[in-house]
mmCIF file of all heavy atoms in Angstrom:
data_model
loop_
_atom_site.group_PDB
_atom_site.id
_atom_site.type_symbol
_atom_site.label_atom_id
_atom_site.label_comp_id
_atom_site.label_asym_id
_atom_site.label_seq_id
_atom_site.Cartn_x
_atom_site.Cartn_y
_atom_site.Cartn_z
ATOM 1 N N GLY A 1270 22.438 48.455 -56.984
ATOM 2 C CA GLY A 1270 21.247 48.915 -57.759
ATOM 3 C C GLY A 1270 20.502 47.771 -58.437
ATOM 4 O O GLY A 1270 19.614 48.199 -59.346
ATOM 5 N N MET A 1271 20.793 46.599 -58.205
ATOM 6 C CA MET A 1271 20.210 45.534 -58.931
ATOM 7 C C MET A 1271 20.394 44.130 -58.271
ATOM 8 O O MET A 1271 21.383 43.985 -57.675
ATOM 9 C CB MET A 1271 20.846 45.471 -60.342
ATOM 10 C CG MET A 1271 20.079 44.877 -61.435
ATOM 11 S SD MET A 1271 20.960 44.897 -63.031
ATOM 12 C CE MET A 1271 21.907 46.402 -63.081
ATOM 13 N N VAL A 1272 19.512 43.201 -58.376
ATOM 14 C CA VAL A 1272 19.688 41.878 -57.834
ATOM 15 C C VAL A 1272 20.570 41.093 -58.775
ATOM 16 O O VAL A 1272 20.654 41.406 -60.006
ATOM 17 C CB VAL A 1272 18.345 41.163 -57.561
ATOM 18 C CG1 VAL A 1272 17.400 42.021 -56.692
ATOM 19 C CG2 VAL A 1272 17.686 40.727 -58.846
ATOM 20 N N ASP A 1273 21.127 40.046 -58.289
ATOM 21 C CA ASP A 1273 21.909 39.067 -58.972
ATOM 22 C C ASP A 1273 20.887 38.358 -59.922
ATOM 23 O O ASP A 1273 19.954 37.746 -59.416
ATOM 24 C CB ASP A 1273 22.668 38.200 -58.167
ATOM 25 C CG ASP A 1273 23.717 37.257 -58.857
ATOM 26 O OD1 ASP A 1273 23.276 36.746 -59.883
ATOM 27 O OD2 ASP A 1273 24.741 37.207 -58.308
ATOM 28 N N ARG A 1274 21.266 38.207 -61.174
ATOM 29 C CA ARG A 1274 20.314 37.465 -62.107
ATOM 30 C C ARG A 1274 20.164 36.040 -61.688
ATOM 31 O O ARG A 1274 19.101 35.426 -61.909
ATOM 32 C CB ARG A 1274 21.037 37.535 -63.423
ATOM 33 C CG ARG A 1274 20.055 37.422 -64.577
ATOM 34 C CD ARG A 1274 20.748 37.378 -65.962
ATOM 35 N NE ARG A 1274 19.802 36.798 -66.822
ATOM 36 C CZ ARG A 1274 18.723 37.534 -67.379
ATOM 37 N NH1 ARG A 1274 18.732 38.846 -67.362
ATOM 38 N NH2 ARG A 1274 17.894 36.895 -68.036
ATOM 39 N N GLY A 1275 21.161 35.507 -61.001
ATOM 40 C CA GLY A 1275 21.103 34.115 -60.640
ATOM 41 C C GLY A 1275 19.865 33.807 -59.583
ATOM 42 O O GLY A 1275 19.463 32.578 -59.607
ATOM 43 N N ILE A 1276 19.440 34.808 -58.886
ATOM 44 C CA ILE A 1276 18.385 34.593 -58.044
ATOM 45 C C ILE A 1276 17.071 34.201 -58.764
ATOM 46 O O ILE A 1276 16.223 33.452 -58.263
ATOM 47 C CB ILE A 1276 18.142 35.806 -57.124
ATOM 48 C CG1 ILE A 1276 17.138 35.580 -55.977
ATOM 49 C CG2 ILE A 1276 17.594 36.994 -57.824
ATOM 50 C CD1 ILE A 1276 17.679 34.552 -55.010
ATOM 51 N N TRP A 1277 16.968 34.596 -59.999
ATOM 52 C CA TRP A 1277 15.782 34.270 -60.894
ATOM 53 C C TRP A 1277 15.787 32.879 -61.124
ATOM 54 O O TRP A 1277 14.676 32.162 -60.925
ATOM 55 C CB TRP A 1277 15.727 35.216 -62.053
ATOM 56 C CG TRP A 1277 15.261 36.649 -61.695
ATOM 57 C CD1 TRP A 1277 16.156 37.607 -61.322
ATOM 58 C CD2 TRP A 1277 13.927 37.215 -61.873
ATOM 59 N NE1 TRP A 1277 15.301 38.785 -61.119
ATOM 60 C CE2 TRP A 1277 14.036 38.493 -61.381
ATOM 61 C CE3 TRP A 1277 12.721 36.570 -62.201
ATOM 62 C CZ2 TRP A 1277 12.948 39.326 -61.434
ATOM 63 C CZ3 TRP A 1277 11.622 37.422 -62.217
ATOM 64 C CH2 TRP A 1277 11.710 38.786 -61.881
ATOM 65 N N THR A 1278 16.904 32.344 -61.672
ATOM 66 C CA THR A 1278 16.826 30.884 -62.070
ATOM 67 C C THR A 1278 16.773 30.005 -60.766
ATOM 68 O O THR A 1278 16.101 29.014 -60.895
ATOM 69 C CB THR A 1278 18.132 30.561 -62.990
ATOM 70 O OG1 THR A 1278 19.264 31.322 -62.290
ATOM 71 C CG2 THR A 1278 17.938 31.034 -64.224
ATOM 72 N N GLU A 1279 17.339 30.456 -59.656
ATOM 73 C CA GLU A 1279 17.275 29.745 -58.521
ATOM 74 C C GLU A 1279 15.795 29.649 -58.036
ATOM 75 O O GLU A 1279 15.235 28.562 -57.662
ATOM 76 C CB GLU A 1279 18.137 30.401 -57.431
ATOM 77 C CG GLU A 1279 18.528 29.555 -56.331
ATOM 78 C CD GLU A 1279 19.391 28.284 -56.743
ATOM 79 O OE1 GLU A 1279 20.408 28.380 -57.570
ATOM 80 O OE2 GLU A 1279 18.975 27.182 -56.342
ATOM 81 N N ALA A 1280 15.091 30.768 -58.136
ATOM 82 C CA ALA A 1280 13.714 30.912 -57.776
ATOM 83 C C ALA A 1280 12.893 29.978 -58.629
ATOM 84 O O ALA A 1280 11.981 29.273 -58.247
ATOM 85 C CB ALA A 1280 13.116 32.342 -57.836
ATOM 86 N N GLY A 1281 13.258 29.878 -59.912
ATOM 87 C CA GLY A 1281 12.575 29.038 -60.868
ATOM 88 C C GLY A 1281 12.685 27.679 -60.463
ATOM 89 O O GLY A 1281 11.661 26.863 -60.579
ATOM 90 N N LYS A 1282 13.856 27.221 -59.968
ATOM 91 C CA LYS A 1282 14.009 25.811 -59.646
ATOM 92 C C LYS A 1282 13.211 25.469 -58.471
ATOM 93 O O LYS A 1282 12.773 24.408 -58.273
ATOM 94 C CB LYS A 1282 15.527 25.604 -59.252
ATOM 95 C CG LYS A 1282 16.409 25.559 -60.434
ATOM 96 C CD LYS A 1282 17.818 25.219 -59.884
ATOM 97 C CE LYS A 1282 18.900 25.682 -60.888
ATOM 98 N NZ LYS A 1282 20.139 26.210 -60.385
ATOM 99 N N HIS A 1283 12.769 26.485 -57.613
ATOM 100 C CA HIS A 1283 11.998 26.197 -56.453
ATOM 101 C C HIS A 1283 10.506 26.420 -56.610
ATOM 102 O O HIS A 1283 9.765 26.461 -55.685
ATOM 103 C CB HIS A 1283 12.525 27.147 -55.259
ATOM 104 C CG HIS A 1283 13.872 26.731 -54.635
ATOM 105 N ND1 HIS A 1283 15.050 26.876 -55.352
ATOM 106 C CD2 HIS A 1283 14.102 26.029 -53.492
ATOM 107 C CE1 HIS A 1283 16.027 26.401 -54.491
ATOM 108 N NE2 HIS A 1283 15.438 25.877 -53.433
ATOM 109 N N GLY A 1284 10.138 26.665 -57.902
ATOM 110 C CA GLY A 1284 8.730 26.808 -58.113
ATOM 111 C C GLY A 1284 8.169 28.203 -57.758
ATOM 112 O O GLY A 1284 7.026 28.299 -57.415
ATOM 113 N N LEU A 1285 8.999 29.232 -57.678
ATOM 114 C CA LEU A 1285 8.471 30.526 -57.146
ATOM 115 C C LEU A 1285 8.102 31.443 -58.312
ATOM 116 O O LEU A 1285 7.768 32.643 -58.032
ATOM 117 C CB LEU A 1285 9.555 31.162 -56.244
ATOM 118 C CG LEU A 1285 9.853 30.425 -55.004
ATOM 119 C CD1 LEU A 1285 10.971 30.973 -54.160
ATOM 120 C CD2 LEU A 1285 8.603 30.389 -53.995
ATOM 121 N N LEU A 1286 8.257 30.943 -59.572
ATOM 122 C CA LEU A 1286 7.876 31.855 -60.717
ATOM 123 C C LEU A 1286 6.842 31.024 -61.549
ATOM 124 O O LEU A 1286 6.893 29.865 -61.891
ATOM 125 C CB LEU A 1286 9.175 32.029 -61.602
ATOM 126 C CG LEU A 1286 10.301 32.738 -60.886
ATOM 127 C CD1 LEU A 1286 11.493 32.735 -61.849
ATOM 128 C CD2 LEU A 1286 9.941 34.044 -60.330
#
Side-chain angles (χ1 to χ4, degrees):
M1271 202 177 329
V1272 306
D1273 187 318
R1274 209 185 158 87
I1276 190 63
W1277 283 85
T1278 42
E1279 204 58 49
K1282 284 183 205 148
H1283 285 77
L1285 294 172
L1286 303 176

